[in-house]
Amino acid sequence: MESGSCSRALNRNHSSYLSPNSRFQQLHDLSSSSNHSSNVCFRVSTAIRRGDCRCRAIVKDSSSNLPVEKVMQMSREFELSSLTALSPLDGRYWGKVKDLAPYMSEYGLIYFRVIVEIKWLLKLSQIPGVTEVPSFSGEAQSYLQGLIDGFTISDALEVKSIEKVTNHDVKAVEYFLKQKCQSHPDIMKVLEFFHFACTSEDINNLAHALMLKEAMNKVMFPVMDELIRAICNMAKASSHVAMLSRTHGQPASPTTLGKEMAIFAVRLSREKKEISQVEIMGKFAGAVGNYNAHLVAYPDIEWPQIAEEFVTSLGLCFNPYVTQIETHDYMAKLFDAIVRFNNILIDFDRDVWGYISLGYFKQITKPGEIGSSTMPHKVNPIDFENSEGNLGKANAGLSYLSVKLPISRWQRDLTDSTVLRNMGEGLGHSLLAYKSALQGIAKLQVNEAALFEDLNQSWEVLAEPIQTVMRRFGIPEPYEKLKELTRGRSVTRESIREFIERLELPGDAKANLLKLTPHTYVGSAVELARAVDTAVNLVNGTTI
């Protein structure tokens, strides 16, 4: 399979073994820390029992400089929980973003590393020239697949325990697999072929690629589609509802509410297509990308071809020109595309916020909900504000990733390693924003009376069609005459009709202008809104 032909589509599901583990339950990586100030310090004691991280307040005696364990009669113990998590994604908003955890967490990274290590050993067993790793029996293959399918939080914690000794996270996975396989009579003979000819980045870059691919396919795309579908439904439901446009904040030619919503659905759909077409890349070429060790050990094997076969077997596209790392250019492209999607949604959030402010939308309330802590009458557009805020936070992180990750000194530096651990943050805030926007949309109710009244007070918008018809029939200075009639003056239905009646126009043209109102002067807006599903389908290439 040629690297240029893989789709290729990010939203293609290539293999069943990448499904999230059903026993995935706990995702917080426990840590201990201490912070000292002149008078008060927080001393953290971590018990041997897993998950018991305690923080006690200790006050120093200012006269003797000796710590006195006392005060605040309220002794506080802090365990990692939704209340003590440093990131709101792991705290307040956990329930809305936890679907990303099996893919974008430390657990997810370890899990996908396990997949890559095991699949590489299986690949080696299929290469005729690697005689030292004979073909595995069906039972041995099932055993190895079982390590993937049955991988649990306990297994991930075991890897973390090994890492405390090795001080190397990828090597810890290798040792974990050797321990798991040393009792198997066939696999124990080839234990040293785990991680054969691999640099850590051979494992990591594929793990990160699989994390992104699965998170996008299984979590992000479905919510993006749901959001686009919800806006399409808004467009169709309000396709006929005439609305005063505002350009530069001033009254302008009317449109329909539905057509304005349709614009956002198509824009988001177009950008989602761009995201789905990003090729998720992988490398497997050793320490500096040249298969140096491979060729010394087995000089007669076509290692570049083997590497390409292996990478594409994971559902990824192969990058043959690399240093120690995969160059991360595809990540920059992916994150930039998500930022563009998010920017479009920010535009939507702000427009809807403005329409709520104008009274074009009412918000359906729930019994017991509070809009303002001091003003009982208020129903604030909090969902769209929450969405906008989280989109900004997501874009800041994703933009940094896109500009940083493609840059690496010479054949490798480690700055990308710690940065890559923050991919889940950008996706998490994006996911939270999409769900907030969906929640806000579900509360909206069109206030047709407000829209009608706004148009009824804006007869000056008919200046455009009148002067355009005047141009057609050769009436001199049409623009200037309408400017004199409308600019800075109160324009009413009667004043418009009087102006039209005085025009020397053919009867049919004059009759059509006299029938025109701000509510009917909407051009093709209704048809554009009603056709939104077709427009979105054409953009996506699939049926929503």
Side-chain angles (χ1 to χ4, degrees):
M1 183 175 186
E2 295 180 1
S3 60
S5 65
C6 44
S7 117
R8 318 151 239 248
L10 181 61
N11 55 357
R12 182 177 298 172
N13 185 9
H14 290 272
S15 47
S16 60
Y17 62 81
L18 297 179
S19 299
N21 193 289
S22 60
R23 281 174 280 179
F24 182 89
Q25 296 174 347
Q26 178 189 0
L27 292 165
H28 289 140
D29 191 12
L30 302 175
S31 62
S32 61
S33 61
S34 60
N35 179 33
H36 301 278
S37 63
S38 57
N39 294 315
V40 180
C41 66
F42 285 91
R43 183 172 297 164
V44 178
S45 61
T46 305
I48 300 300
R49 300 191 311 277
R50 186 172 69 228
D52 189 4
C53 183
R54 299 177 179 176
C55 179
R56 292 181 301 174
I58 298 181
V59 178
K60 291 185 177 180
D61 185 330
S62 58
S63 60
S64 65
N65 204 31
L66 294 175
V68 179
E69 252 188 309
K70 91 132 251 230
V71 170
M72 302 185 191
Q73 312 252 335
M74 308 166 55
S75 164
R76 295 190 180 98
E77 292 187 354
F78 286 93
E79 294 185 2
L80 188 56
S81 71
S82 62
L83 289 176
T84 60
L86 293 181
S87 168
L89 294 178
D90 296 317
R92 180 180 182 88
Y93 303 125
W94 174 250
K96 294 185 176 181
V97 300
K98 64 182 179 181
D99 288 347
L100 280 172
Y103 311 108
M104 303 308 297
S105 63
E106 181 82 355
Y107 166 88
L109 178 57
I110 295 170
Y111 170 63
F112 286 114
R113 283 169 172 162
V114 166
I115 288 175
V116 175
E117 293 277 11
I118 289 176
K119 293 295 178 180
W120 178 233
L121 182 63
L122 288 167
K123 179 64 176 177
L124 289 171
S125 73
Q126 299 165 3
I127 302 173
V130 184
T131 56
E132 290 77 8
V133 186
S135 296
F136 288 123
S137 65
E139 189 278 330
Q141 293 180 47
S142 295
Y143 181 86
L144 289 170
Q145 186 63 46
L147 294 178
I148 294 172
D149 296 339
F151 192 78
T152 65
I153 288 292
S154 296
D155 290 329
L157 287 170
E158 189 174 340
V159 173
K160 296 297 291 182
S161 295
I162 297 171
E163 184 186 340
K164 290 178 182 178
V165 178
T166 63
N167 197 30
H168 196 289
D169 49 0
V170 177
K171 204 67 178 175
V173 173
E174 178 189 345
Y175 288 172
F176 166 80
L177 291 172
K178 286 180 177 179
Q179 289 178 11
K180 289 290 185 182
C181 295
Q182 63 185 359
S183 61
H184 193 282
D186 294 335
I187 304 173
M188 67 173 293
K189 298 174 184 177
V190 293
L191 290 181
E192 293 308 320
F193 281 86
F194 274 117
H195 205 70
F196 176 77
C198 294
T199 183
S200 296
E201 270 305 299
D202 285 329
I203 308 303
N204 278 340
N205 90 95
L206 297 181
H208 286 130
L210 293 172
M211 290 167 69
L212 281 171
K213 175 175 173 286
E214 294 302 299
M216 294 303 299
N217 288 345
K218 304 292 177 56
V219 181
M220 302 301 290
F221 283 158
V223 179
M224 286 177 170
D225 286 340
E226 185 181 356
L227 181 59
I228 294 168
R229 190 180 305 114
I231 299 174
C232 282
N233 291 338
M234 289 178 68
K236 291 179 292 184
S238 56
S239 62
H240 64 289
V241 180
M243 182 181 82
L244 180 68
S245 293
R246 283 178 169 81
T247 57
H248 309 281
Q250 306 302 308
S253 300
T255 182
T256 70
L257 181 60
K259 183 261 180 175
E260 300 311 303
M261 297 300 102
I263 292 172
F264 287 110
V266 174
R267 290 175 68 193
L268 290 169
S269 178
R270 185 180 294 119
E271 205 55 53
K272 188 233 166 181
K273 180 183 178 183
E274 290 292 319
I275 298 169
S276 71
Q277 291 179 338
V278 174
E279 293 183 337
I280 304 299
M281 308 291 289
K283 59 85 67 170
F284 210 71
V288 292
N290 302 329
Y291 310 95
N292 303 48
H294 307 65
L295 288 167
V296 170
Y298 294 97
D300 297 326
I301 293 177
E302 292 293 329
W303 287 109
Q305 178 182 337
I306 295 296
E308 182 171 2
E309 291 172 359
F310 178 60
V311 170
T312 56
S313 74
L314 298 174
L316 305 173
C317 295
F318 180 61
N319 187 353
Y321 288 92
V322 294
T323 60
Q324 184 175 107
I325 64 171
E326 199 287 322
T327 51
H328 305 321
D329 297 328
Y330 83 83
M331 289 186 176
K333 187 174 183 180
L334 174 65
F335 297 145
D336 283 340
I338 296 173
V339 167
R340 291 194 298 272
F341 184 96
N342 290 353
N343 279 336
I344 294 167
L345 188 57
I346 289 175
D347 198 22
F348 171 83
D349 288 337
R350 290 180 177 177
D351 274 14
V352 173
W353 187 97
Y355 295 142
I356 292 172
S357 178
L358 291 171
Y360 290 179
F361 287 115
K362 295 179 181 179
Q363 294 181 96
I364 301 170
T365 59
K366 293 182 179 179
E369 279 191 349
I370 303 297
S372 166
S373 63
T374 186
M375 293 173 279
H377 67 283
K378 293 187 69 179
V379 182
N380 296 329
I382 56 174
D383 297 305
F384 298 103
E385 293 171 342
N386 183 286
S387 177
E388 180 183 343
N390 277 285
L391 290 167
K393 182 69 172 68
N395 286 358
L398 293 171
S399 295
Y400 173 70
L401 290 174
S402 73
V403 299
K404 187 275 157 294
L405 290 175
I407 301 171
S408 181
R409 294 176 183 86
W410 294 341
Q411 283 68 53
R412 170 74 164 129
D413 72 44
L414 204 62
T415 54
D416 66 327
S417 181
T418 188
V419 170
L420 283 164
R421 293 181 180 274
N422 293 280
M423 295 190 301
E425 179 192 36
L427 296 187
H429 283 287
S430 297
L431 179 63
L432 178 58
Y434 305 160
K435 290 187 175 181
S436 294
L438 279 165
Q439 188 168 307
I441 290 170
K443 296 178 182 178
L444 294 178
Q445 187 176 61
V446 178
N447 183 1
E448 293 194 39
L451 287 147
F452 184 91
E453 183 58 28
D454 217 2
L455 281 167
N456 216 32
Q457 300 299 319
S458 305
W459 281 79
E460 65 271 20
V461 298
L462 296 185
E464 181 193 36
I466 295 170
Q467 64 99 5
T468 303
V469 172
M470 290 168 67
R471 286 177 187 274
R472 176 189 173 185
F473 291 102
I475 297 177
E477 298 183 330
Y479 180 88
E480 289 73 17
K481 290 175 180 176
L482 267 300
K483 176 178 147 183
E484 175 67 22
L485 173 69
T486 59
R487 187 173 296 188
R489 297 187 180 187
S490 176
V491 179
T492 65
R493 177 177 181 174
E494 289 70 28
S495 62
I496 285 287
R497 290 181 64 85
E498 288 175 7
F499 182 86
I500 296 171
E501 291 283 7
R502 292 196 301 268
L503 295 174
E504 294 183 3
L505 290 171
D508 289 347
K510 182 177 290 189
N512 287 335
L513 286 179
L514 288 170
K515 288 189 295 184
L516 203 59
T517 74
H519 310 87
T520 60
Y521 178 50
V522 294
S524 299
V526 175
E527 291 76 14
L528 286 167
R530 288 175 178 169
V532 65
D533 284 345
T534 301
V536 166
N537 290 346
L538 287 173
V539 169
N540 274 344
T542 56
T543 300
I544 277 191

